[in-house]
Amino acid sequence: MKDSWWEGAVIYQLIPRSFSDSNCDGIGDLEGLEQKLSYLSWLGIEAIWLTPIYPSPLKDVGYDITDFEGIHPELGDLDSFHKLIDSAHKKNIKVILDLVLNHTSYLHPWFQRARWAAKGSNERDFYVWTDDIETYKEAPVLFCNFENSNWEWDPVAEQYYFHRFLRHQPDLNYSNQFVQKEMLRVVDVWLERGVDGFRLDAVPFLFEAEGGRCEGLPETHEFLKKVRERVEIAGRDVLLLGEAIQPVIEASPYLVKDELHGAFNFELTAHLFGAIANGQANNLQVCIEKSQNLVPGSRWALPLRNHDELWLGDGHLVSNEVIEIIRTGLPQSNGHWLNWGINRRLAPLLNGDPRPNRLLHGLLYSLPGMPCIYYGDELGMGDWPGLRDRDPNRTPMAWTPAKNGGFSEAPDPLLVLPPITAPGYDYRVVNVEVQRQLPASLLNWHRRMLTCRRHLPALRHGEFELLKSSHPSVIAYIRYSSSMIVLVVANLSGAGASLKIDLSRWEGMRTREVMWGCDFPKATKEWFVHLPSYGFSWWLIGEVEGSNFAMRT
């Protein structure tokens, strides 16, 4: 049976408004993105995930939508969207569209009609209303830095409306069959326009009920099965990737065979940072094993950072102990906490140290799943603390040392956000053009790793097995298929680590380091390896003598 395109695919998340400006108005657009597809192809990206491109008042980077079927005029039109789809497909790059199921903008015609409609009418009941703000009182307030309640009074409707996110994002009422019908029609529209997948935003919150957190209710799963039926009708591989910021035990039910194809593993993300923060592998190993036991294979999407804060939660996603480990072990997070997480990009969060940066990505590229790269992280881009909300993590992509990092030729006041000029992250140094010319740059390292991964199908499709490690800072595992065994060993600590690994199952077989093709001693019961601080490596085991696999490109 042929694998679906997303099995182990490398996904690149970008914000079109911050990526590349083609018409010099200071705002990135679809045509600018289309012009940069060659770069993404060179890097080794297999799919791009676009944050919302719909018409919106942009109070929340486009997640507050006024028309699910249109294109925001600042980004382009349907012609530029079709051109982007065609160009991406010619370069074997898939296009994943963000689909916000849970809510709309308060300026959406549906909400404006609802607030003027009579109580109890279908028009009013497009959204969730109450006269008593004690309704659903156990549902936590997600945006606790901005909201103190999930309810907002509307003077026209003379009722409170429900919003799990910001007050200008009222929740749709999925108990209303007309809402379900409309949102399924939206799915049909974008399928006809050729998208290859949907990142389904905030999937746990579609339905509400008393007596709990209002997350992942049975009715939510039933609706998602209807969405799955819709994409199956398309007759081609279309990815449904769910954003459920929940522990893996709560996110895994979305990954049954007739529901979603994939879901983000935010619990694993938190444990990756926890492992770097205290240099200990145990919690990370437990999370990886639990994830694979619940959902084997490559159905977890693996992000490090994204357009939001690094979500750690209120003790629900990971334990308060792990949260405290991250708070104290990553000092660059101090003063940058927002809502329930850390409002920083990857490189500044790691204090600009490329070693843990490479280590985290090395794990991401070798664990089972779909690695997700946030635009600019392949460069080690910085952030701009002090900007509104989560905008510190959403600044323009740095392409060249030229004005505005080559993002736009517009005057500075017109830019969607200011480019990074902080010491150590200045766009005149940290940009694509400069790093492409430096063989040892972070960008070229990413390209080599992704080239390696492409030539090692066991890393994309293979089985997974944790190996016993005698060192508390070291994690070891294999990815294997019928024709290939890849050994991965990683040191999560800032100190060097030496250990022996039991490779007796492959006694006497050749072991060779992947990146540079160096032969190591043959496999034994006590196979010795030394790793420097934050060091890691991939080895081929049992490779035929005389072959010459070495990725030096």
Side-chain angles (χ1 to χ4, degrees):
M1 182 177 176
K2 183 179 178 293
D3 291 321
S4 298
W5 67 260
W6 56 78
E7 299 266 342
V10 180
I11 299 172
Y12 188 93
Q13 182 200 357
L14 59 92
I15 301 174
R17 295 173 60 82
S18 296
F19 202 61
S20 180
D21 172 22
S22 70
N23 58 4
C24 304
D25 65 353
I27 300 167
D29 45 53
L30 297 182
E31 185 175 344
L33 168 56
E34 192 267 337
Q35 293 169 0
K36 300 299 185 181
L37 289 175
S38 293
Y39 161 73
L40 297 175
S41 178
W42 169 85
L43 180 58
I45 298 305
E46 295 165 274
I48 52 174
W49 151 26
L50 313 183
T51 57
I53 59 176
Y54 317 97
S56 164
L58 299 173
K59 286 179 172 285
D60 185 21
V61 77
Y63 284 88
D64 48 327
I65 296 166
T66 56
D67 177 6
F68 284 100
E69 299 175 36
I71 305 286
H72 197 294
E74 292 177 343
L75 299 180
D77 53 24
L78 284 176
D79 285 342
S80 54
F81 179 78
H82 289 306
K83 184 180 178 185
L84 171 65
I85 290 279
D86 290 343
S87 297
H89 288 171
K90 287 175 182 175
K91 297 182 183 299
N92 294 317
I93 295 174
K94 304 294 185 180
V95 179
I96 302 168
L97 192 64
D98 225 317
L99 181 57
V100 183
L101 293 174
N102 181 69
H103 52 262
T104 69
S105 166
Y106 72 128
L107 296 178
H108 195 292
W110 294 347
F111 186 74
Q112 292 303 311
R113 186 169 63 234
R115 64 200 296 251
W116 289 97
K119 274 189 182 182
S121 65
N122 273 324
E123 289 81 6
R124 172 68 68 91
D125 289 343
F126 248 65
Y127 295 83
V128 182
W129 302 88
T130 191
D131 297 313
D132 178 10
I133 59 172
E134 291 298 302
T135 306
Y136 311 141
K137 64 182 179 181
E138 294 181 39
V141 177
L142 302 176
F143 281 63
C144 58
N145 274 65
F146 303 99
E147 308 289 353
N148 55 21
S149 171
N150 288 322
W151 294 101
E152 181 72 11
W153 175 256
D154 184 79
V156 173
E158 296 185 331
Q159 278 190 298
Y160 295 94
Y161 63 85
F162 196 57
H163 59 91
R164 288 306 299 273
F165 292 82
L166 298 166
R167 67 188 65 185
H168 54 77
Q169 295 168 316
D171 277 26
L172 288 164
N173 176 19
Y174 276 85
S175 295
N176 186 331
Q177 292 300 313
F178 289 98
V179 170
Q180 294 193 28
K181 182 179 178 181
E182 280 297 310
M183 295 309 293
L184 290 172
R185 191 177 62 79
V186 169
V187 171
D188 291 340
V189 166
W190 291 102
L191 286 173
E192 290 173 5
R193 292 172 179 172
V195 300
D196 302 292
F198 297 99
R199 181 261 191 187
L200 302 179
D201 184 67
V203 291
F205 310 120
L206 303 188
F207 286 82
E208 300 79 28
E210 293 288 2
R213 297 173 63 92
C214 293
E215 297 178 14
L217 296 174
E219 297 89 341
T220 295
H221 292 282
E222 289 304 312
F223 176 72
L224 293 174
K225 289 175 183 177
K226 294 179 183 179
V227 178
R228 176 66 175 268
E229 289 175 3
R230 270 316 213 271
V231 301
E232 297 288 347
I233 292 171
R236 55 190 175 87
D237 277 349
V238 177
L239 169 65
L240 292 178
L241 179 59
E243 185 217 23
I245 306 180
Q246 297 175 303
V248 291
I249 197 167
E250 295 179 26
S252 59
Y254 296 100
L255 300 180
V256 294
K257 67 177 182 178
D258 58 348
E259 204 164 324
L260 304 185
H261 303 102
F264 291 94
N265 194 334
F266 292 108
E267 183 180 353
L268 179 58
T269 298
H271 280 297
L272 283 166
F273 283 98
I276 291 296
N278 72 352
Q280 300 293 304
N282 182 61
N283 287 336
L284 177 60
Q285 290 172 320
V286 170
C287 181
I288 292 171
E289 201 152 39
K290 181 169 59 173
S291 301
Q292 282 299 298
N293 287 339
L294 287 167
V295 184
S298 302
R299 300 182 66 188
W300 292 111
L302 309 177
L304 288 174
R305 292 296 297 110
N306 57 32
H307 61 290
D308 288 327
E309 65 269 37
L310 172 60
W311 193 272
L312 299 176
D314 55 356
H316 182 63
L317 179 66
V318 291
S319 69
N320 287 318
E321 179 187 358
V322 172
I323 294 173
E324 190 57 31
I325 286 170
I326 295 172
R327 290 181 71 108
T328 57
L330 298 179
Q332 295 306 313
S333 70
N334 295 334
H336 298 278
W337 284 75
L338 183 74
N339 300 315
W340 299 105
I342 304 171
N343 197 28
R344 299 228 71 175
R345 259 192 181 266
L346 177 63
L349 185 57
L350 300 175
N351 202 29
D353 190 339
R355 299 172 303 162
N357 195 324
R358 290 189 176 102
L359 170 63
L360 287 170
H361 280 103
L363 291 170
L364 219 64
Y365 296 154
S366 58
L367 286 168
M370 296 169 267
C372 300
I373 307 172
Y374 187 49
Y375 80 99
D377 278 357
E378 73 273 23
L379 306 173
M381 260 180 63
D383 51 26
W384 192 287
L387 293 179
R388 182 186 70 93
D389 192 6
R390 289 151 291 167
D391 284 351
N393 312 316
R394 301 167 176 175
T395 54
M397 178 69 172
W399 295 102
T400 72
K403 177 183 176 181
N404 301 325
F407 163 73
S408 174
E409 295 181 6
D412 290 356
L414 298 182
L415 294 181
V416 60
L417 287 170
I420 301 297
T421 56
Y425 304 103
D426 194 302
Y427 69 80
R428 283 159 288 203
V429 177
V430 180
N431 62 69
V432 171
E433 182 180 299
V434 168
Q435 290 204 18
R436 283 186 75 159
Q437 298 176 54
L438 299 174
S441 70
L442 185 61
L443 174 61
N444 278 313
W445 178 88
H446 275 279
R447 183 171 184 252
R448 285 195 299 272
M449 293 298 286
L450 292 177
T451 302
C452 254
R453 192 174 187 276
R454 201 160 51 245
H455 286 272
L456 296 171
L459 293 183
R460 180 175 176 130
H461 306 290
E463 301 294 324
F464 172 83
E465 181 186 339
L466 272 171
L467 300 181
K468 186 176 180 180
S469 168
S470 59
H471 196 293
S473 298
V474 175
I475 184 171
Y477 52 88
I478 57 168
R479 300 296 308 280
Y480 62 95
S481 63
S482 59
S483 59
M484 178 181 293
I485 302 168
V486 181
L487 169 67
V488 179
V489 186
N491 175 18
L492 300 159
S493 157
S498 298
L499 72 157
K500 294 176 181 178
I501 300 174
D502 182 1
L503 300 184
S504 56
R505 277 184 284 172
W506 306 285
E507 185 83 39
M509 289 187 178
R510 184 186 189 192
T511 62
R512 192 150 70 97
E513 196 273 337
V514 168
M515 287 292 287
W516 304 106
C518 301
D519 274 298
F520 272 61
K522 292 183 177 180
T524 65
K525 181 176 176 57
E526 294 186 326
W527 193 73
F528 177 81
V529 62
H530 173 78
L531 297 169
S533 60
Y534 303 117
F536 78 96
S537 233
W538 299 346
W539 289 270
L540 284 168
I541 299 179
E543 184 190 14
V544 176
E545 296 284 353
S547 58
N548 190 31
F549 182 90
M551 302 311 302
R552 299 187 178 91
T553 55

